[in-house]
Amino acid sequence: MTTVMDDVVTRESRFVLQTYRRNPVTFVRGDGVRLYDADGREYIDLLSGIGVAALGHGHAGLARAVSEQAQTLIHTSNLFFHPLQGELAERLSALSGLARSFFCNSGTEAVEACLKFARRYWHTKGAPRAQFVALDESFHGRTFGSLSVTSDEHYRAPFEPLLPTVTFVPTNDASTLAAAVSASTAAIIAEPVIGEGGLRPLTPAFAAAIKEACAKTGALFIADEIQSGLGRTGHPFYFQALGLTPDLVAVGKALGGGVPIGAALASQAVADTLSFGDHGSTYGGNLLACRAALFVLGELFDGGVAENVKRVGPSFERRLRAIASAHPIVKEVRGAGLMWGLELTRDAAAVVPAALERGVVVNRTAERVVRLLPPLVISEADAMDALGRLDAAIGAVGASA
Ligand SMILES: Cc1ncc(COP(=O)(O)O)c(C=O)c1O
């Protein structure tokens, strides 16, 4: 007898370009923090589709907003005004303190826009600067510009040559950063909490070094908040917790709650150096995406979801620390709010199937790190239930070591 899973796998392996090694699960439905597979098995989601489903799955309000908008008007292009883009930009400005938004469709496009806007800034000033300074462990996306500021050789090597003007410095190494930034640096780019590279918040001392290097050399600062932004760490953006004032901010993932949308936020000084036609996107900021994003931001920041992160985050962290003290294979717990990593003493790959077996969805990143990005609406009870199962999964993996 062939199952739904067999059919899905057979068709995919014949027709889908094989760039993803998928876990052997086919999700067909979601409800809040729960996902259901094709056999009706229930899972608690501690990943949110990699930090996207901040409001959880099957959200009735989001579904209603998207459906109403789809029945009214989905897309008109950026050649015309529509009522929602300015409203969304105003909302993002109030949350971030940055003056203006450019809308696109993904995280990598948001980073791409930030890199281009930084270059444009220096061109307009009449003193072009080419260099970007980025961090070891960084991940900024897969297009040529964002890949050029991504450090992982595994992602970079097959596509070289990339931009030749990028200098990488070790994360949280203030003196190396200070030495790398000069009067030819267009911008420093960093994730305020390193995500893909292993869940590592920047230290206050390193944030101060970024600030000082920018003040000294004029270099711009680009904060990539694609994973860490929009309430995930208990702050609208983690750069705020670090006391940083970026010139550009890349936003994506949770912004549309699953409807693709990204944004490059720019200070007025940067925005003033751009002209009509300098950058663009056919879909960027269309009505459907903006409607979804306005709904998501409303729930996050007016509907109590950001408060939920502050409420559940501390017990989530305590439970993770208890897991770490119970299992010697857990070397370190790192993160903030509801963005956490457990670094193991060995490859974390085996934890993913062990957690799935116990009905919990997690992810392994940077080889040794178990990444946890639950929906921001998760209740304390569901969080403790899921972490109890993760505890058992790590125990099983540790016992088989
Ligand atoms: C910090 C960061 N920047 C950029 C990206 C790229 O975003 P996207 O996959 O939407 O292009 C990601 C995705 O994981 C990310 O975590």
Side-chain angles (χ1 to χ4, degrees):
M1 191 185 81
T2 60
T3 64
V4 173
M5 183 80 202
D6 292 335
D7 284 348
V8 168
V9 171
T10 303
R11 195 168 287 118
E12 278 219 6
S13 61
R14 280 191 62 195
F15 296 112
V16 175
L17 207 152
Q18 298 292 295
T19 59
Y20 287 102
R21 197 191 310 277
R22 300 198 202 282
N23 292 290
V25 182
T26 302
F27 291 123
V28 293
R29 189 169 72 79
D31 181 11
V33 299
R34 291 184 165 70
L35 286 167
Y36 297 86
D37 72 14
D39 300 321
R41 258 200 92 199
E42 182 182 292
Y43 302 77
I44 301 180
D45 185 6
L46 293 186
L47 186 60
S48 312
I50 325 186
V52 168
L55 304 185
H57 306 282
H59 192 289
L62 178 58
R64 211 163 26 246
V66 168
S67 158
E68 273 172 20
Q69 193 59 52
Q71 290 172 67
T72 308
L73 193 60
I74 293 178
H75 177 86
T76 54
S77 88
N78 280 304
L79 301 181
F80 304 95
F81 289 99
H82 73 63
L84 304 180
Q85 213 179 97
E87 192 183 337
L88 180 58
E90 184 177 11
R91 186 91 225 239
L92 286 168
S93 181
L95 285 168
S96 68
L98 280 93
R100 289 175 186 270
S101 295
F102 171 87
F103 292 106
C104 52
N105 315 287
S106 64
T108 197
E109 284 175 75
V111 170
E112 209 68 35
C114 288
L115 297 173
K116 284 183 70 181
F117 296 168
R119 283 274 181 90
R120 180 62 163 123
Y121 173 88
W122 292 109
H123 269 276
T124 307
K125 296 246 163 232
R129 294 187 180 195
Q131 190 208 23
F132 293 104
V133 173
L135 306 187
D136 289 346
E137 301 180 309
S138 61
F139 181 84
H140 297 294
R142 309 286 199 140
T143 48
F144 268 105
S146 60
L147 186 58
S148 295
V149 289
T150 291
S151 59
D152 194 327
E153 268 312 302
H154 179 72
Y155 297 142
R156 296 170 60 88
F159 303 102
E160 280 172 345
L162 301 173
L163 278 182
T165 52
V166 182
T167 307
F168 288 98
V169 301
T171 306
N172 288 332
D173 180 337
S175 55
T176 311
L177 177 87
V181 180
S182 72
S184 45
T185 306
I188 301 170
I189 179 165
E191 297 155 82
V193 182
I194 301 269
E196 190 89 8
L199 283 295
R200 191 181 296 283
L202 299 189
T203 60
F206 192 68
I210 291 176
K211 223 171 169 170
E212 197 182 319
C214 291
K216 222 184 235 172
T217 65
L220 302 179
F221 174 54
I222 303 170
D224 180 345
E225 292 269 6
I226 288 162
Q227 199 167 139
S228 55
L230 301 179
R232 176 148 298 277
T233 64
H235 308 268
F237 296 98
Y238 199 71
F239 71 74
Q240 294 159 333
L242 292 169
L244 285 163
T245 47
D247 303 281
L248 288 151
V249 178
V251 185
K253 288 203 186 275
L255 183 57
V259 176
I261 179 168
L265 315 184
S267 69
Q268 190 62 50
V270 171
D272 283 344
T273 63
L274 280 125
S275 308
F276 290 132
D278 274 352
H279 197 48
S281 165
T282 297
Y283 289 128
N286 79 11
L287 287 113
L288 189 76
C290 286
R291 182 72 184 269
L294 280 165
F295 183 85
V296 169
L297 295 182
E299 288 295 296
L300 289 178
F301 298 107
D302 306 327
V305 177
E307 270 70 45
N308 188 58
V309 178
K310 291 196 189 118
R311 218 171 20 247
V312 178
S315 37
F316 202 91
E317 177 179 1
R318 271 195 302 280
R319 187 68 181 88
L320 291 178
R321 297 208 180 277
I323 292 175
S325 31
H327 302 290
I329 63 163
V330 181
K331 188 175 150 200
E332 197 174 15
V333 178
R334 296 189 295 262
L338 287 175
M339 177 174 188
W340 289 96
L342 297 175
E343 181 169 342
L344 306 190
T345 54
R346 49 178 281 198
D347 193 321
V351 174
V352 176
L356 284 172
E357 249 173 59
R358 290 162 178 80
V360 182
V361 181
V362 301
N363 160 249
R364 164 250 209 182
T365 193
E367 210 163 291
R368 291 173 175 233
V369 179
V370 179
R371 172 165 51 174
L372 306 170
L373 303 169
L376 303 185
V377 294
I378 196 165
S379 68
E380 172 116 12
D382 283 338
M384 294 309 115
D385 180 357
L387 293 179
R389 300 184 205 193
L390 179 63
D391 190 335
I394 290 175
V397 170
S400 70

